[in-house]
Amino acid sequence: DADVTQTPRNRITKTGKRIMLECSQTKGHDRMYWYRQDPGLGLQLIYYSFDVKDINKGEISDGYSVSRQAQAKFSLSLESAIPNQTALYFCATSDTSGRHNEQFFGPGTRLTVL
Amino acid sequence: EDQVTQSPEALRLQEGESSSLNCSYTVSGLRGLFWYRQDPGKGPEFLFTLYSAGEEKEKERLKATLTKKESFLHITAPKPEDSATYLCAVLAWGGATNKLIFGTGTLLAVQP
């Protein structure tokens, strides 16, 4: 089984709809992240969470919200979807222990807003 | 401002033709430089972490090196299965921890 899973994998929705993307991990990591990826652009950080009670905005948080339901679960919501939120969304995790800071990514959710 | 630039944007190689990808960075203080491989429609897959100038890491046909201003990903005798987008990211000292700054990637195509 994959260490970081995302649901759904693909979603098509209409402008104005509320959408939730979910992320679960079995790696036991305390830190979780949401990114979006657009063609020709680098991965952009939307929100990140260092533990269940800690939520922080990233570079492009406008129009998004998150919920850290448990150490292993981190959800991203689009309150009222708009077409320029069409993108590939990735969840990632990392561990604070030791020197290692690498992040491990899920398979992604392809979101299309019509 | 912290910044990461990758070049070239795209690279086409023949099978067996060795080459290098470049990642130039400008950060206030480097905590780590990361290389990822990304296949179409999939999440980035972690390859290497480099922490200090002079450090090298190897994995199969890939070798990553680091200087104070840039990192290279050397691909020796590539095979078609090495075709992917290679992403570079840096983690800088100061501010919130674990915020990676990504480059836009190099799209590598290896033809048989």
Side-chain angles (χ1 to χ4, degrees):
Chain A
D1 289 340
D3 295 321
V4 184
T5 58
Q6 292 183 235
T7 57
R9 294 296 314 281
N10 289 282
R11 183 71 184 268
I12 299 174
T13 191
K14 295 182 179 180
T15 297
K17 294 291 187 181
R18 185 177 187 273
I19 296 298
M20 179 180 285
L21 310 183
E22 298 185 333
C23 176
S24 295
Q25 53 113 347
T26 58
K27 298 183 78 67
H29 289 172
D30 50 354
R31 299 185 173 191
M32 299 186 74
Y33 311 79
W34 276 105
Y35 290 90
R36 70 176 275 174
Q37 187 176 44
D38 298 276
L41 298 178
L43 285 155
Q44 296 175 280
L45 184 63
I46 306 172
Y47 270 95
Y48 59 102
S49 169
F50 287 170
D51 63 42
V52 174
K53 296 181 180 179
D54 178 78
I55 302 290
N56 304 279
K57 293 183 177 181
E59 309 164 69
I60 55 165
S61 59
D62 288 348
Y64 301 94
S65 63
V66 291
S67 173
R68 186 81 183 266
Q69 299 95 328
Q71 186 191 33
K73 295 185 181 296
F74 193 34
S75 299
L76 176 72
S77 293
L78 286 66
E79 299 302 325
S80 179
I82 56 177
N84 74 3
Q85 290 178 314
T86 293
L88 200 51
Y89 290 85
F90 291 104
C91 174
T93 72
S94 69
D95 189 7
T96 51
S97 64
R99 185 186 189 191
H100 305 289
N101 294 287
E102 55 267 22
Q103 294 182 15
F104 296 90
F105 286 80
T109 294
R110 184 171 297 280
L111 177 65
T112 303
V113 184
L114 302 176
Chain B
E1 181 183 351
D2 297 336
Q3 196 169 1
V4 177
T5 303
Q6 291 188 246
S7 63
E9 290 185 5
L11 181 62
R12 181 170 293 182
L13 299 174
Q14 292 295 124
E15 185 171 2
E17 179 186 3
S18 301
S19 188
S20 297
L21 312 181
N22 178 265
C23 172
S24 298
Y25 62 90
T26 305
V27 294
S28 52
L30 182 70
R31 290 183 62 187
L33 185 142
F34 305 84
W35 282 99
Y36 287 85
R37 170 192 169 126
Q38 186 175 22
D39 293 300
K42 296 188 176 181
E45 175 188 349
F46 171 72
L47 293 173
F48 304 109
T49 308
L50 301 167
Y51 292 103
S52 56
E55 190 174 1
E56 299 181 351
K57 293 277 181 70
E58 285 190 67
K59 180 180 180 180
E60 297 181 353
R61 295 176 293 281
L62 300 177
K63 179 180 178 180
T65 62
L66 181 65
T67 72
K68 289 185 178 180
K69 294 183 178 181
E70 59 191 349
S71 176
F72 291 94
L73 185 64
H74 307 278
I75 303 175
T76 302
K79 298 182 178 182
E81 53 262 42
D82 294 323
S83 298
T85 295
Y86 290 86
L87 301 174
C88 169
V90 298
L91 181 65
W93 288 104
T97 58
N98 281 72
K99 286 178 66 175
L100 292 182
I101 303 164
F102 281 87
T104 54
T106 293
L107 176 61
L108 174 66
V110 182
Q111 296 182 316

